[in-house]
Amino acid sequence: MIDQLDCAGHVLDLSRTHVMGVINVTPDSFSDGGRHIELDSALAAAREMVAAGASIIDVGGESTRPGATPVSADEELRRVLPVIEAIADAHLDAVVSIDTSKPDVMRAAIAAGAGLINDVRALRVPGALQAAAECEVPVCLMHMRGEPGTMQDAPRYGDVIDEVCGYLTERVQACVAVGISRSRLLLDPGVGFGKDLDHNLKLIKHLGRIRDIGLPLLVGSSRKRMIGELTGAPMDQRLAGSVAAAVLAAWLGASVVRVHDVRATVEAIKVTDALRATS
Ligand code: 7PJ
């Protein structure tokens, strides 16, 4: 099993669980004034997350929530590049991750200081495998069925775990075929991406079977519909449910949990990791 990930010089030690904080740069306002305020608040959010113990900051400019509409590469770059540059200039003690599926965005983000590619389409966009190979940073390959616009239309699987494992194994092979070493890959079951509640629960409960592929895992269930379905809580009140899901994912083998509420999750993960390390 891989014991560390070298993210463009910033090494993540995989003997413990890492918390990835989410920064979405998906503006409602397209005015320059709005952009400046947004840049300041994104940098402030990144500082706060790192101070709270996040070791990865995931910056994304295209919403992949169910029903979201796609954006152009130019617009995505206009959103994320200033934020990545600002975080890199601030020399925060964290890896910047670029949440994108677009080859041009991958290249520009890595050149601007990002050290990890997080792709919900697992490098399936034409040119993405090649771009990721050239970037020489670790890549998270996530399972998604269909596209964000339609993925939640009655998803059906035979055995959801087998299908997710089969898909991820095929994507690992595609990466290896273009020269991306297995030691640069993370796998993610893609909670909520073309899955109903039962699929999501099975994937987390049986994370060990995905772990058997032999690569480190990333799990993101923070504030997702799954948590709302289980607790009845609206989006802004899913902290306890999200922390529980992060703790259990870590317990069951996730090396990275992707979350919105960094401080609470970091504290909970410290307790989890201490118990995991106890014989
Ligand atoms: C995930 C993600 C996830 C990875 C989003 C949301 C939807 N990337 N990007 N895994 N989810 N790797 O945060 O609710 O689960 S966007």
Side-chain angles (χ1 to χ4, degrees), residues 20 22 24 58 62-66 99 118-120 140-142 187-193 218-225 235 258 260:
M20 169 190 262
V22 180
N24 286 316
D58 191 38
E62 182 198 24
S63 174
T64 45
R65 286 192 176 280
D99 185 345
N118 174 27
D119 185 4
V120 299
C140 177
L141 302 170
M142 195 196 79
L187 303 179
D188 183 338
V191 170
F193 285 84
L218 186 154
V219 174
S221 43
S222 178
R223 298 186 188 170
K224 282 185 179 170
R225 184 161 79 187
M235 186 81 88
R258 181 182 181 278
H260 300 87

Side-chain angles (χ1 to χ4, degrees), residues 23-27 59-63 71 75-76 79-80 98-99:
I23 295 191
N24 286 316
V25 202
T26 45
V59 179
E62 182 198 24
S63 174
V71 296
E75 177 55 24
E76 213 180 304
R79 293 176 183 182
V80 297
I98 175 65
D99 185 345

